[in-house]
Amino acid sequence: MTALIGGVLLAAGVALFILEPVFSGRSAAFYGGDDDFDEGAARRRVALTALRDLEYDRATGKLDEADYDALKLELSREALMHLGPDQDSGKGVETEAIRVARQLEDEIAQIRRAIREGMQCASCGHVNAIGARFCGHCGKRLATGAGAAAAASDGGAS
Amino acid sequence: MTVLGEVALWIALPVALWGTVVSFVGGRFRRSDLVLSGERTVYMLTLLLLVVSAGIIAAFLGNHYEYSYVANYSNRELDTYFKVSGLWAGQRGSLVFWTLLLSVFASIAVFQNRRRNREFMPYVSGTLLGLLSFLLVVLLFADVNPFERLGFTPVNGRGLNPQLQNYWMTIHPPTLYLGFTAFAVPFAFAVSALLTNRLDSRWIAITRRWILLSWFFLTNGIIFGMRWAYEELGWGGYWFWDPVENASLLPWLTATAFLHSIQIQENRGMLKVWNMGLVVTTFLLTIFATFLTRSGLIESVHSFAENLRIAYIFLGFMGGMAALSAVLIVYRLPSLRSENQFQSFLSRESAFLFNNFLLVGVTFAVAWGTLFPLITEGFFGETRNVGPPYFNSVNIPIGLMLLALMGIGPVIAWRRASRRNLLKNFTVPVLAAAGALGALAVIGVRHSMALATFTIAVFVMTIVITEFWKGTRARARIAGEGMWSALVSLVRRNRRRWGGYIVHAGVVIVFTGLAGAAFDVRMEQELAPGEAMSVRSALGTEYRLVYESLSHSRPRVAEGERENDWRWTALLTVYRDGDRVGILRPERRFYPVMEQQSTEVGIASTAFEDLYVIPKEVDLESGSERVTFEAKALPLVPWIWYGGLMVTVGALIGLWPAARVAAPAAARRRSRPGPLPAAAAG
């Protein structure tokens, strides 16, 4: 008997809860939300991530200069293609996607700077793998990357 | 409580049907009140199914044998622990449990997206509620109602199959079911994407973590299952290509393929139709696995016993879902066009594609072998089974190719790889592998498949370790960090990639462990107390087992109850290379209620091998203490579990939610946020 009363109460409670929106007109949103998805921004993020990985691949010596240049060109074009009109519209609110894209850009800039300042040989211009102490081309001693990068970080990314 | 559970089951069906209808109608006609009502339905179903499950567990704990399900899977003497797991011990309870987990995941998905991705949600909740409705219809009307009464109350139940009385058995099925049911969420999003024609990369971005979650549970479920088989079935193996095991492997294979192929879609906008197909296939395979496991379809071809009705219902449902999905995909083909083309055979894309072909190939091979008895039955009227030789001969070579791809994929360049790229990255690993091959050949390893496995394993491991090393070093140089913090920030910045590499390393270790089976050594001997036997493992360890005694125990029970089991425990002292390392207590058990025997093996592990002792023949009646023991030295088996753990860790790294960079107030004022503290100031 108690079980039956429990069952009736359960059924009534459930029915009330799920039918309430229909009677009260309370409704759920159809659109949007705080981080509305933007296809362009997503593409851009993918391209930037690939570009970032490309920089790492070059830095670790997985890719040589010719391959790097070709891929960089393609990826940069993709990233630019999806640079949406709202990217710098000054709306005041930054979406998650844009924030991530900016972080990636900063990171790419950071790697490039480190390579330029640390890994590129000052005397012959050859770009060495990260971690190299001596130039792979002319054999001269390289400025240490860590010091150069630290200097770069202090300079800020803007 | 149990009656309330039964009532809740009846309430659940109309509720689920209501939810399905209002979600789809609300989505189609933009009635947001109906959509909200549908979403609330999802939550309420979870509540109702919790009540249903509690009802079943209460029936088990209260020994209510008037319910046929309880009477068939429990008895008074069973441990409380196993009574609770009675919820998933049999087909009926399993279905309830499956439905409960599905509703829990549905609730999480709806809650997660209560303010995001709203366009998708009506159809997502509609699809999930539709599935739940189907399961509830099955539960109530297909002779599998867990609350069905016998019409009389037996004094005691028939008890739980002894092989299921093992703690892995309380963990393994729920883990697997979590994996199966979690995949319904990506499927629902895929259907929703097709229905709403929003076929950009969004649905993939939303569901990626769900897919990984499902994969994580499936992987662990399968490994736990292997562990259970190894410890409980008592023959020293962990995988027999049995239909039920295969059924759990199938969705794992296609889910793995999907995890890889979505990367091509994300990076290159290709393979959209293929990916849709994989999601649908994986989902259908999770359903297939569930019903195959519990319907007895494959076994029943031998006996024509069980009710095949549920098998036909599920097959019909799967066929219907497959047809509907196919129609939707074809209808949306124009939106699923590829944005790019493959540029070169030598590229990461084609490595991924090849990986997909291989995984799907294994899926077909396993499915074919699993269904072979049914196929021969249907066409030739005679049941034929293909055994492990078939599965091994087909799957080991493909598995090895997949293993090699795990090394090739990560270092080959996207789009097109130049010869220089290949030379630069493969020289060292190939040399390392060749060195390993030479060394193994010199020490006398002749088993070809094992040689191949070890060689490829070295190749892949060299690549993975080099990747970590180079990446960390580069990061340390670029950011001016120490090695440890560089490693951490490297992984954190691209969790999927580095988590994936850890998974690969784990899989390599698992494969190495599996290949160890080529070197199993076994020895069988009848011993009297005081006598000893020796076995020499392939790794050169000399084990000596001294049989000390046999003891017989019957647990104390309250008056009027019977013992669940009688135990004969052998006591053996183990010497490894002459040193006494411990005692093993393998057992023979007799379950009077089920009138069955079972074996509890004794396992002595080192980091490299297991000594596995089976009391093969024990005279349970005459009181003789002579016992026939089988001792097996199984090299590398522990590596399967270590590798499995590593896979778990890697998957967790990939799953871990990215630390949301809290946007500082400054960022909202359009200043530039970034990973560098100096940036905000500048």
Side-chain angles (χ1 to χ4, degrees):
Chain A
M1 193 60 201
T2 41
L4 275 183
I5 295 170
V8 170
L9 285 177
L10 189 65
V14 168
L16 208 65
F17 185 70
I18 61 174
L19 294 178
E20 191 260 353
V22 182
F23 296 122
S24 74
R26 201 189 302 273
S27 59
F30 261 110
Y31 294 104
D34 45 9
D35 60 348
D36 209 6
F37 186 88
D38 168 4
E39 176 71 5
R43 293 296 181 86
R44 186 169 149 74
R45 183 164 65 192
V46 167
L48 285 174
T49 308
L51 208 50
R52 193 257 324 254
D53 291 345
L54 184 74
E55 293 294 341
Y56 272 118
D57 284 352
R58 176 207 192 192
T60 51
K62 267 161 71 176
L63 284 173
D64 61 20
E65 289 300 306
D67 291 340
Y68 166 78
D69 288 338
L71 285 170
K72 181 184 158 191
L73 196 69
E74 274 181 57
L75 287 169
S76 309
R77 197 163 49 211
E78 269 168 42
L80 285 173
M81 217 155 68
H82 297 293
L83 187 70
D86 61 334
Q87 196 72 46
D88 280 301
S89 61
K91 271 193 290 188
V93 182
E94 229 173 4
T95 66
E96 179 80 14
I98 295 176
R99 202 152 55 228
V100 170
R102 281 190 199 288
Q103 285 178 12
L104 284 167
E105 283 171 355
D106 288 346
E107 200 180 346
I108 292 168
Q110 194 191 3
I111 302 169
R112 287 190 184 154
R113 199 175 308 115
I115 290 178
R116 203 169 50 240
E117 292 171 15
M119 296 306 128
Q120 190 164 25
C121 178
S123 55
C124 73
H126 179 79
V127 176
N128 292 282
I130 291 275
R133 294 190 178 175
F134 300 95
C135 176
H137 191 250
C138 68
K140 285 250 169 64
R141 194 183 173 85
L142 299 169
T144 57
S153 305
D154 291 342
S158 39
Chain B
M1 191 65 220
T2 307
V3 178
L4 189 61
E6 189 175 1
V7 173
L9 187 60
W10 282 100
I11 302 174
L13 180 61
V15 168
L17 289 173
W18 161 265
T20 313
V21 173
V22 293
S23 294
F24 280 112
V25 171
R28 176 69 185 79
F29 298 102
R30 308 243 135 215
R31 284 277 306 271
S32 54
D33 54 335
L34 292 182
V35 174
L36 182 63
S37 174
E39 292 184 352
R40 289 189 172 186
T41 306
V42 176
Y43 299 136
M44 284 301 103
L45 270 180
T46 307
L47 176 74
L48 288 167
L49 287 161
L50 279 172
V51 175
V52 173
S53 307
I56 296 175
I57 293 176
F60 269 95
L61 292 176
N63 299 322
H64 287 292
Y65 300 119
E66 66 268 30
Y67 295 104
S68 80
Y69 181 62
V70 180
N72 276 316
Y73 290 94
S74 180
N75 55 311
R76 289 182 188 282
E77 294 77 16
L78 198 65
D79 285 345
T80 310
Y81 191 52
F82 292 120
K83 282 184 179 168
V84 174
S85 73
L87 178 57
W88 56 81
Q91 185 190 48
R92 296 170 184 223
S94 295
L95 272 170
V96 171
F97 189 52
W98 212 95
T99 316
L100 169 69
L101 292 179
L102 180 59
S103 79
V104 169
F105 281 130
S107 288
I108 295 173
V110 168
F111 184 74
Q112 249 185 353
N113 293 295
R114 67 197 180 283
R115 279 193 277 279
R116 298 185 270 176
N117 310 315
R118 297 301 308 170
E119 304 87 325
F120 285 107
M121 291 319 287
Y123 303 107
V124 171
S125 24
T127 307
L128 291 168
L129 286 165
L131 282 171
L132 288 165
S133 308
F134 165 73
L135 289 163
L136 289 166
V137 168
V138 170
L139 275 168
L140 288 167
F141 302 110
D143 295 337
V144 287
N145 190 329
F147 297 105
E148 189 182 288
R149 287 184 180 79
L150 284 171
F152 63 100
T153 307
V155 187
N156 201 349
R158 288 175 54 191
L160 184 64
N161 184 333
Q163 289 182 340
L164 302 183
Q165 297 188 31
N166 174 295
Y167 65 97
W168 284 114
M169 215 49 207
T170 57
I171 309 169
H172 156 63
T175 316
L176 213 47
Y177 282 10
L178 284 168
F180 290 156
T181 47
F183 209 88
V185 175
F187 172 73
F189 270 99
V191 169
S192 183
L194 285 168
L195 284 172
T196 54
N197 201 15
R198 289 171 192 277
L199 292 160
D200 49 27
S201 52
R202 182 170 187 174
W203 73 272
I204 288 202
I206 301 167
T207 56
R208 195 178 55 221
R209 189 162 285 138
W210 277 100
I211 292 159
L212 195 53
L213 182 77
S214 161
W215 188 89
F216 169 80
F217 283 127
L218 280 178
T219 308
N220 273 300
I222 292 171
I223 293 174
F224 292 162
M226 289 166 78
R227 202 59 212 242
W228 164 73
Y230 186 65
E231 288 183 10
E232 185 62 35
L233 298 185
W235 60 286
Y238 32 77
W239 193 269
F240 353 45
W241 299 109
D242 143 291
V244 172
E245 288 174 340
N246 294 346
S248 68
L249 187 64
L250 293 172
W252 183 87
L253 289 166
T254 50
T256 309
F258 184 70
L259 277 175
H260 289 91
S261 66
I262 49 172
Q263 298 189 39
I264 311 187
Q265 179 165 350
E266 282 178 301
N267 279 301
R268 310 283 290 125
M270 296 188 288
L271 299 184
K272 293 180 179 176
V273 177
W274 174 260
N275 284 335
M276 272 293 171
L278 277 181
V279 168
V280 173
T281 310
T282 308
F283 170 72
L284 292 176
L285 287 173
T286 63
I287 302 265
F288 177 69
T290 315
F291 101 91
L292 187 75
T293 313
R294 297 300 187 195
S295 73
L297 175 66
I298 297 285
E299 282 89 342
S300 68
V301 286
H302 301 293
S303 59
F304 294 103
E306 298 262 348
N307 87 70
L308 277 180
R309 195 156 139 205
I310 187 157
Y312 292 128
I313 293 175
F314 267 96
L315 282 178
F317 175 72
M318 284 173 59
M321 293 303 275
L324 271 177
S325 310
V327 167
L328 267 176
I329 292 176
V330 170
Y331 181 62
R332 292 297 186 201
L333 272 182
S335 309
L336 290 166
R337 260 197 298 268
S338 191
E339 295 162 32
N340 285 296
Q341 308 228 301
F342 281 92
Q343 294 181 2
S344 159
F345 177 69
L346 285 176
S347 64
R348 195 174 295 178
E349 290 94 311
S350 44
F352 272 131
L353 195 64
F354 198 46
N355 139 305
N356 263 248
F357 285 147
L358 291 176
L359 282 167
V360 172
V362 177
T363 311
F364 271 111
V366 173
W368 174 257
T370 309
L371 296 176
F372 197 71
L374 279 183
I375 296 163
T376 49
E377 173 74 40
F379 287 96
F380 309 109
E382 142 185 41
T383 308
R384 288 189 179 217
N385 278 303
V386 293
Y390 159 79
F391 289 105
N392 287 335
S393 65
V394 177
N395 292 327
I396 291 178
I398 305 183
L400 288 177
M401 282 192 259
L402 279 168
L403 194 64
L405 274 178
M406 273 183 236
I408 296 169
V411 286
I412 199 167
W414 281 105
R415 289 153 207 257
R416 60 187 165 274
S418 65
R419 274 187 55 201
R420 292 182 309 265
N421 164 255
L422 298 181
L423 223 63
K424 211 165 182 171
N425 295 302
F426 290 116
T427 312
V428 175
V430 166
L431 287 179
L437 180 64
L440 287 167
V442 167
I443 61 169
V445 179
R446 289 289 174 271
H447 192 283
S448 57
M449 283 303 166
L451 269 179
T453 310
F454 296 145
T455 308
I456 298 173
V458 169
F459 169 74
V460 179
M461 268 306 197
T462 313
I463 286 176
V464 171
I465 292 169
T466 317
E467 281 284 289
F468 266 98
W469 164 244
K470 282 184 172 174
T472 308
R473 201 179 51 176
R475 182 75 213 152
R477 285 286 171 138
I478 289 166
E481 295 170 321
M483 279 312 222
W484 270 115
S485 60
L487 178 64
V488 171
S489 71
L490 182 78
V491 173
R492 278 187 49 185
R493 266 154 208 279
N494 202 344
R495 257 174 257 266
R496 283 169 75 193
R497 176 175 179 178
W498 298 102
Y501 287 170
I502 294 174
V503 169
H504 283 180
V507 173
V508 168
I509 296 173
V510 170
F511 265 71
T512 312
L514 296 175
F519 308 100
D520 291 354
V521 175
R522 63 178 288 276
M523 180 71 77
E524 196 174 316
Q525 208 169 321
E526 187 183 316
L527 300 178
E531 291 177 344
M533 67 189 286
S534 299
V535 56
R536 187 182 168 78
S537 84
L539 296 177
T541 321
E542 185 79 40
Y543 288 100
R544 203 172 118 82
L545 287 162
V546 180
Y547 171 40
E548 312 283 358
S549 64
L550 183 71
S551 59
H552 177 39
S553 69
R554 301 172 73 156
R556 281 179 173 280
V557 289
E559 208 173 280
E561 288 194 0
R562 285 174 300 172
E563 304 93 333
N564 183 52
D565 52 23
W566 303 344
R567 304 175 179 196
W568 285 262
T569 310
L571 195 69
L572 296 145
T573 313
V574 184
Y575 295 86
R576 186 181 294 133
D577 290 329
D579 301 327
R580 183 177 182 280
V581 289
I583 286 170
L584 287 181
R585 291 189 181 81
E587 283 179 358
R588 197 82 193 174
R589 292 186 187 168
F590 178 68
Y591 293 79
V593 181
M594 304 286 288
E595 298 196 337
Q596 281 190 25
Q597 285 192 32
S598 84
T599 309
E600 294 293 311
V601 297
I603 301 172
S605 284
T606 67
F608 294 95
E609 61 187 1
D610 276 2
L611 175 71
Y612 190 98
V613 182
I614 311 159
K616 259 202 140 168
E617 284 164 35
V618 180
D619 192 340
L620 304 187
E621 271 141 40
S622 72
S624 153
E625 294 196 3
R626 295 188 73 82
V627 174
T628 306
F629 289 101
E630 185 179 351
K632 290 181 164 186
L634 308 174
L636 300 179
V637 167
W639 286 30
I640 299 173
W641 321 129
Y642 301 150
L645 201 64
M646 196 154 172
V647 170
T648 302
V649 170
L652 275 179
I653 288 175
L655 264 176
W656 213 257
R660 290 214 165 201
V661 186
R668 296 193 195 282
R669 290 195 307 269
R670 295 281 318 121
S671 99
R672 199 163 179 172
L676 308 170

